[in-house]
C-alpha cells in the first residue's frame, strides 16, 4: 500500500464512538465529574460513601458495598476502573461549593457492540428533593447519546422505588413494562422491576 492509499484508508475508516471520554458537567448547585484515583484517599468522600451505604433507601434499592473506609476505597477504585476498562462511566455528584458528595451516576455498557447501555443513579439524603437526580441523569443521558454512540439506554428500578420511576419519566425514558422478580435487592428478596428506555432518535423531553 502506498502512502497516499494508506492516508485514504485512514481518512475513510469508521470512527469508534463507543468510548467513554472523560467529561464534567456544571449543574449550578452541583458538578458531575469522573471518579478519580485521588478520591480513594479523600477521607470526606470515603466517610460520605460509608454513610450512603447505611442510608435505608440506598441499602434497599441501590445497595453499595462501602460499609467502612476500606470498602469505600475499593468502591471508588472500581468506579475509576470502569473508566479505564471502557465498561462504564461513573460520575461523582458533588456540591459545587464545598465538594461534598451528593451521589453517583453511572452509565455502563450492556452490549457495547450494539450500542446498548444501562443508567444507574443514587443520591444521599441531603441532596434529595430538589430535582438533582433528574438534572444529573439528563446530563449524562444527553452525553451518552451525543458523544458516546449509545443507541438505546435503559433504566430498571424496583416497582416500589417510586422516586427512581419519577426520574426516569422526567428524563424521557418511556415505560416498557414489568420485569417479574428480576433482581435481588437489599432486603434479600427478588422484586419486580419497571423497565424504562430511550432511543437516540427519541425526542428529548422539554426543558432538558
Amino acid at each position: 500500500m502506498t502512502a497516499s492509499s494508506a492516508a485514504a484508508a485512514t481518512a475513510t475508516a469508521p470512527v469508534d464512538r463507543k468510548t467513554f471520554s472523560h467529561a464534567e458537567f456544571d449543574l449550578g448547585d452541583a458538578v458531575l465529574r469522573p471518579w478519580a484515583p485521588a478520591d480513594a484517599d479523600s477521607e470526606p468522600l470515603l466517610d460520605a460513601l460509608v454513610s450512603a451505604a447505611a442510608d435505608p433507601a440506598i441499602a434497599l434499592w441501590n445497595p453499595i458495598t462501602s460499609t467502612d473506609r476500606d470498602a469505600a476505597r475499593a468502591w471508588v477504585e472500581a468506579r475509576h476502573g470502569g473508566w479505564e476498562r471502557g465498561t462504564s462511566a461513573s460520575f461523582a455528584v458533588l456540591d459545587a461549593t464545598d465538594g461534598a458528595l451528593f451521589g453517583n451516576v453511572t452509565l455502563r455498557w450492556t452490549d457495547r457492540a450494539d450500542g446498548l447501555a444501562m443508567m444507574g443513579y443514587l443520591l444521599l439524603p441531603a441532596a434529595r428533593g430538589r430535582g438533582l437526580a433528574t438534572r444529573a441523569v439528563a446530563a449524562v443521558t444527553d452525553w451518552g447519546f451525543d458523544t458516546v454512540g449509545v443507541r438505546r439506554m435503559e433504566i430498571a428500578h424496583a416497582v416500589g422505588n417510586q422516586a427512581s420511576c419519577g426520574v426516569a419519566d422526567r428524563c424521557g425514558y418511556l415505560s416498557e413494562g414489568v420485569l417479574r422478580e428480576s433482581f435481588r435487592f437489599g432486603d434479600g428478596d427478588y422484586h419486580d422491576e419497571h423497565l424504562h428506555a430511550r432511543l437516540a432518535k427519541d425526542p428529548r423531553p422539554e426543558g432538558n
Side-chain angles (χ1 to χ4, degrees), residues 39-57:
D39 295 329
D41 296 320
S42 169
E43 292 185 357
L45 287 180
L46 297 180
D47 290 343
L49 285 167
V50 173
S51 296
D55 172 69

Side-chain angles (χ1 to χ4, degrees), residues 89-153:
S90 292
F91 296 87
V93 185
L94 306 172
D95 189 315
T97 302
D98 61 12
L101 183 65
F102 281 160
N104 175 75
V105 177
T106 295
L107 181 64
R108 64 178 177 84
W109 290 117
T110 54
D111 188 334
R112 179 175 177 175
D114 200 27
L116 302 179
M118 178 74 73
M119 176 74 70
Y121 42 92
L122 64 86
L123 283 186
L124 277 68
R128 297 171 190 160
R130 48 176 147 152
L132 181 55
T134 298
R135 290 181 283 134
V137 169
V140 177
T141 297
D142 289 346
W143 172 78
F145 285 136
D146 294 344
T147 69
V148 183
V150 176
R151 180 182 65 81
R152 173 184 164 93
M153 207 175 297

Side-chain angles (χ1 to χ4, degrees), residues 6-208:
T10 300
T12 58
V15 176
D16 180 10
R17 294 180 61 231
K18 298 184 177 68
T19 299
F20 294 131
S21 299
H22 284 207
E24 297 188 9
F25 307 96
D26 183 351
L27 304 183
D29 58 338
V31 295
L32 277 67
R33 65 157 177 80
W35 288 94
D39 295 329
D41 296 320
S42 169
E43 292 185 357
L45 287 180
L46 297 180
D47 290 343
L49 285 167
V50 173
S51 296
D55 172 69
I58 293 175
L60 176 59
W61 300 130
N62 203 346
I64 56 178
T65 57
S66 54
T67 53
D68 56 40
R69 279 188 178 176
D70 286 341
R73 185 174 293 108
W75 188 91
V76 171
E77 291 170 347
R79 306 285 83 70
H80 173 68
W83 283 97
E84 294 298 297
R85 294 188 300 274
T87 56
S88 61
S90 292
F91 296 87
V93 185
L94 306 172
D95 189 315
T97 302
D98 61 12
L101 183 65
F102 281 160
N104 175 75
V105 177
T106 295
L107 181 64
R108 64 178 177 84
W109 290 117
T110 54
D111 188 334
R112 179 175 177 175
D114 200 27
L116 302 179
M118 178 74 73
M119 176 74 70
Y121 42 92
L122 64 86
L123 283 186
L124 277 68
R128 297 171 190 160
R130 48 176 147 152
L132 181 55
T134 298
R135 290 181 283 134
V137 169
V140 177
T141 297
D142 289 346
W143 172 78
F145 285 136
D146 294 344
T147 69
V148 183
V150 176
R151 180 182 65 81
R152 173 184 164 93
M153 207 175 297
E154 298 178 343
I155 291 174
H157 65 82
V159 169
N161 187 353
Q162 291 302 307
S164 188
C165 195
V167 171
D169 288 340
R170 288 188 293 274
C171 290
Y173 287 76
L174 300 182
S175 178
E176 295 190 342
V178 176
L179 306 173
R180 296 183 301 155
E181 296 189 7
S182 60
F183 190 80
R184 190 194 298 272
F185 283 85
D187 58 2
D189 293 334
Y190 284 97
H191 288 255
D192 295 350
E193 290 186 290
H194 283 157
L195 176 64
H196 301 252
R198 264 182 69 178
L199 303 179
K201 64 184 180 182
D202 287 342
R204 293 185 180 180
E206 292 184 10
N208 283 3

